[in-house]
Every structure is written in structure tokens, then in C-alpha cells.
Amino acid sequence: MLVKNINSICCIGAGYVGGPTMAVVADNCPDIKVTIVDLNEERIKLWNSNDLTKIPIFEPGLKEIISRVRNKNLFFTTDVENSIKNSDMVFISVNTPTKTKGIGAGKASDISWVEACTRQVASNAIGETIIVEKSTIPVRTAEAIKTILENNSKKNSKSDACSFTVLSNPEFLAEGTAVKDLQNPDRILIGGEDEESIQALKNIYLNWVAEEKIITTNLWSSELSKLTANAFLAQRISSINSISALCEVTGADIDEVKKAIGLDTRIGKKFLNAGPGFGGSCFKKDILNLTYLCQHFGLPEVSSYWEQVVSINNWQIYRIYKMVINKLFGNVTNKKIAILGFSFKANTNDTRESPAIFICKELLVEGALLSIHDPKVSLAQIITELGDIGEENRSNWSHQIDLDETYDDADAIIILTEWEQYRNINWDLVSSKMKSPSWVFDTRKIVNPKKIKNCDFNFWQVGLGNNI
Ligand code: NAD
Ligand code: UGA
């Protein structure tokens, strides 16, 4: 077997996956030149910023890696064509959102960005190129990629000696722990047909990942495993959230239930935190994609089974929103509500599908006055996420930099993201600054009820049974 030596990599897409993943590759493989390309000039400019606090993605440990490898063997550029030309291996790491129109709208994944990249690779690659699917895509996308490459490379005059192989190498990192997950992954999954290409990719990972953690499968198993992993993870959250509602009406405590079930090694302790519903760019879109695929392949029962995971998630956030309104006497007009956390989880500046977006928009429509705090989400990002409703009600909401100024005269506080600093709030002090009567709603179960015993506000916590 003649395994190709990989000297240069191009990654198309400088987003939440492309940026951190390639930074870790460059850091562990000093002999490989890694170039990350993106059409978005502003994003590339930020990745190249001298001020490392300005890189577009916040992930613990990321800026330290960027400062070590950037402009040594890691480069960010908008020059897609030349980067492809000069690479032995091209990772496709672009967005694959839910389709908004046409067949499958609202469910199927839109692979137009993947297809656009494939065409760019077909017309620019020279010699033997290995294409790696990093994006999460519908099963059998590799087939489409191969067909496009084969047909289009023939039209490329310089392509006489051109050849392509396609691998699937899904990414399992979670935001907020991306560097840790990439540095020490549970597994690396490589799907493909060509043994030499598989070995070439494996050799890259072997620079820092133990061989037994690298598993290989056929292309379709690899593509499907990624969707299945996200579906199983999301299903756990919908399961625990459904039980949190039952706890609240029966006097049980979700943390106690979580502990009791999690000690069963078959269930396991991780990923059982009740909350306002899962957010993030992937769980919803990937499950919807899975349900669409099931329909497409004639499996409507399987499709509706998985659809329930998304339904329960929508219901969880809505039931929490309705409960807030009810506790505030069914009226929030001109009431000041402090929103603690806007990102979809802690330790990331990502707000895609964050439960905070729905809650804030609905509260603004009801006439509430919002004071929004998040340690990493910028005002510009909140403006974008709140869209027209935010703009129409611009004088009714503010973005707070200083947490202590967030709750002055507030009628209520809603904790929506589990940022560490919200765990250490001095509730006695906060209580003295709020109106009376007032409420604290903890949707992340991070406040210790014992520590607020003497506080002057009413308290609600997800999955806590004394809320009857
Ligand atoms: P993202 O939107 O943050 O980044 C994608 C980038 O690709 C954008 O900057 C966009 O400008 C760029 N792009 C699109 N088409 C391009 C083209 N033709 N040429 C050059 N650049 C182009 O997306 P992301 O969160 O990094 O996700 C990427 C993929 O990885 C998705 O399929 C997602 O499902 C999957 N994934 C995401 C995560 C995560 O935590 N975000 C984890 C695992 C897998
Ligand atoms: C998730 C998966 O965990 C990754 O393995 C996967 O690679 C990624 O999706 C992807 O494909 O995009 P991510 O969405 O970044 O990662 O973050 P998670 O930690 O999974 O959290 C997702 C949502 O679930 C967040 O809103 C989080 O607050 C919520 N969650 C998570 C809970 O409500 N309870 C939990 O116990 C865990």
C-alpha cells in the first residue's frame, strides 16, 4: 500500500468547526501546512487579528493555540482557489443548515454550500487530492460529491493527471469544550473505500490520538453515525426535560432523579442536566435531517419517533416561558426582567438556536423591559438574533456589560445560560436591589436553594418539585 504523505491541508470553512479543528491539527502536526479558507472576508480578517481577543470564536484554550501556530503552519485566507491548488487534502467544513425552501423545506439539510465547495475543488485541484467531509451531511452525500468531482474534473483542462478520493470524517466536538474534545477525542471516525487515503488521514490523527481510538467504517456508516450520535444526545436532553416537568408537579427533584438513574452504568451520569431546552446550530437541524431521510427511505414510523425529540424540546421552552408569564400575574408590560445568559450554553459566544432568543422575543412582544447580560455575546449579535422584534422594541431592551447593574429594580431574573459567574451570585445583595414582590427563575438549576433561604424574592427552578 502506497500511502500518500500529506504536506499541506486546505480547510474550506473558517467556522466553529473549521477554525478550532484545524488549529489543533496545525498544533500537533508542525510539518503540515494548514490553510483555512472562507468566503467571508470579515471572518478571515478577525482570525488574522493581532488582538487575540478579537478572533471570531470564543473557545477556552483556542487563542493560546492560535498564538502558537498562526502564520507558522496555520494560515487564514480568502484565496480559496490557490489554497485548494496547493493542497494534498481538502476538508469541507462549511455550514449545512436546514433547507428553507423547495423539497424538504424545514427538515432536509441544505447541502448547496457543500456542493459549491466540491465544484471549487473539482476545478482547482491538481494531482491526487483527498476530499474529507467534515461537515455534517445527509447519508450518501459522498456519492454526490464523487459524481460532481468525476464529471467536473474532466472539464478542467489542467486535470489530466487529476484524481480524487472522498472520505467521511465527522466532527464530534461540542462548543465550549472544543479544544479539549479535539485534543482528547473519545473516538475519531473515518469512513471510506480507499485504504491508502484512509491511512493518510489516520496518519495525521496518529500525531496525537491513540490508534485504538481511530475507527474506520464504510462511508455510509460514518455519515449516519454522526446524525445518530446527535439524535441520541438530544434524545437524552428531551427525556430528562420531560421528567423535569413531572418533578415539578409531583414534589420530586430532578437532580435527585438524575443521580439515581445516572448511577446505573447502562444509563451513565453525563448529559442529564434539565434546562430550557437544547439550543445550538446542530441538534435540531440534524434530527430534522434524520427524520427527513427516514421519510425519504420509506420509514415514516422511525421518522415520527425522532420528531418527538424536537417536539418535546419546543414544548419545554414554551412551557417555561408560559410559567414565567403566569407567575408574574399574567402581565409583564413595563416590568423589568433581567436575562442572565444569551448564548445557547456556557463557554461559547455562539447564539444559534439559543432558547434565550425565543424567550426574549416573546417577552418583548408582551411589553416587558429587558436587561440582557452575557459575558461573551456582543450587542451586535443580540441585535441580529432579536431581528425585527428587537428593532421595533429597541427602547425596551438593553445590553448590560456589568452583571451587577443588570438587576437594579428588576421584577424578575431569568437564568438562561449556566455561565460560571451566575453560580456565584451574591443573592442577598441582588435581592435588596430588586422590586418587591419579585421572582428568580432558574432554568439551569445552578442556584443552590439553601443559599437563598433568606432572600426576599420568590424562586422557581426547573425540575424542582416544591413549585406546585
Ligand atoms: P459555521 O457557519 O460556523 O462555518 C461555516 C463557514 O463556511 C462559514 O464561515 C461560511 O462563510 C463558510 N463557507 C460556506 N461556503 C463556503 C465556500 N464555498 N467557500 C468558502 N467558505 C465557505 O458552521 P460550523 O458551526 O463550523 O459548522 C460546519 C459544519 O460542521 C456543519 O455541517 C455542522 O453541522 C458541523 N458541525 C458543527 C459543530 C459545531 O459545534 N458547531 C460540531 C460538529 C459538526
Ligand atoms: C453537540 C454535541 O454534543 C457534539 O458532540 C456535536 O459534535 C455537536 O452538537 C454538533 O454536531 O454540532 P453542542 O451543540 O456544541 O454539541 O453542545 P452540547 O453540549 O451538546 O449542548 C447542546 C445543547 O444541549 C445546549 O443548549 C446545552 O445547554 C443543552 N444541554 C446539554 C442540556 O440542556 N443538558 C445537558 O445535559 C447537556
Side-chain angles (χ1 to χ4, degrees), residues 428-452:
D428 289 321
L429 190 69
V430 171
S431 165
S432 68
K433 288 180 164 189
M434 294 177 76
K435 280 209 182 100
S436 197
S438 58
W439 275 90
V440 172
F441 301 101
D442 176 10
T443 73
R444 293 285 185 170
K445 218 168 189 316
I446 58 173
V447 176
N448 182 348
K450 286 188 192 138
K451 289 202 177 151
I452 53 157

Side-chain angles (χ1 to χ4, degrees), residues 137-380:
I137 28 84
V139 192
R140 298 203 76 87
T141 299
E143 201 167 17
I145 294 180
K146 278 197 269 184
T147 310
I148 293 169
L149 289 171
E150 277 157 20
N151 284 282
N152 285 274
S153 59
K154 283 180 205 142
K155 292 183 192 147
N156 180 351
S157 58
K158 293 166 271 160
S159 68
D160 280 350
C162 231
S163 70
F164 301 102
T165 48
V166 180
L167 299 177
S168 159
N169 175 221
E171 185 47 62
F172 296 100
L173 69 81
E175 288 178 30
T177 51
V179 171
K180 209 168 105 245
D181 297 341
L182 288 162
Q183 194 58 46
N184 187 19
D186 285 348
R187 80 305 208 179
I188 295 292
L189 176 57
I190 303 175
E193 289 153 353
D194 181 61
E195 287 302 322
E196 291 161 23
S197 304
I198 292 173
Q199 191 59 46
L201 180 56
K202 205 171 163 182
N203 286 347
I204 294 174
Y205 284 111
L206 282 172
N207 282 292
W208 77 99
V209 180
E211 185 154 19
E212 58 273 20
K213 283 191 174 179
I214 305 177
I215 58 169
T216 56
T217 64
N218 76 30
L219 274 167
W220 323 125
S221 304
S222 175
E223 290 178 341
L224 183 57
S225 297
K226 172 63 197 177
L227 295 181
T228 309
N230 274 2
F232 270 58
L233 288 167
Q235 183 195 43
R236 265 173 94 84
I237 301 169
S238 281
S239 299
I240 202 77
N241 283 343
S242 70
I243 300 299
S244 75
L246 195 55
C247 286
E248 288 161 29
V249 293
T250 56
D253 179 341
I254 195 67
D255 274 352
E256 293 178 354
V257 175
K258 174 179 111 175
K259 188 172 174 194
I261 64 166
L263 285 170
D264 184 327
T265 50
R266 293 168 303 174
I267 296 174
K269 293 177 187 170
K270 293 181 183 168
F271 234 70
L272 284 177
N273 295 320
F278 55 76
S281 62
C282 294
F283 277 173
K284 188 165 151 201
K285 95 164 158 66
D286 291 347
I287 297 178
L288 291 174
N289 182 11
L290 189 68
T291 64
Y292 179 75
L293 286 169
C294 293
Q295 286 284 0
H296 174 79
F297 287 106
L299 299 166
E301 291 79 6
V302 184
S303 178
S304 54
Y305 172 76
W306 287 107
E307 204 157 343
Q308 279 305 306
V309 173
V310 177
S311 303
I312 285 286
N313 198 55
N314 294 338
W315 172 78
Q316 176 79 349
I317 185 161
Y318 187 64
R319 85 172 178 91
I320 288 178
Y321 167 71
K322 251 186 17 202
M323 177 276 305
V324 168
I325 301 284
N326 284 342
K327 299 277 191 207
L328 297 173
F329 311 118
N331 166 41
V332 291
T333 306
N334 289 330
K335 288 187 178 164
K336 179 173 171 182
I337 301 180
I339 301 291
L340 302 197
F342 201 83
S343 58
F344 79 97
K345 63 183 280 197
N347 294 320
T348 177
N349 60 348
D350 195 347
T351 53
R352 291 176 289 180
E353 299 288 336
S354 176
I357 301 169
F358 172 84
I359 298 257
C360 289
K361 279 182 170 176
E362 293 296 313
L363 287 171
L364 285 172
V365 170
E366 287 276 350
L369 309 172
L370 304 185
S371 175
I372 305 173
H373 177 272
D374 189 287
K376 290 291 170 193
V377 177
S378 66
L379 171 62

Side-chain angles (χ1 to χ4, degrees), residues 12-18 37-40 43 80 93-96 113 116-117 120 134-136 171 173 175 226 281-282 285-286 352:
I12 310 181
Y16 283 87
V17 169
V37 297
D38 204 294
L39 298 173
N40 183 333
R43 213 168 202 183
V80 180
S93 195
V94 297
N95 33 322
T96 49
W113 287 272
C117 291
Q120 282 169 312
K134 201 41 134 173
S135 296
T136 305
E171 185 47 62
L173 69 81
E175 288 178 30
K226 172 63 197 177
S281 62
C282 294
K285 95 164 158 66
D286 291 347
R352 291 176 289 180

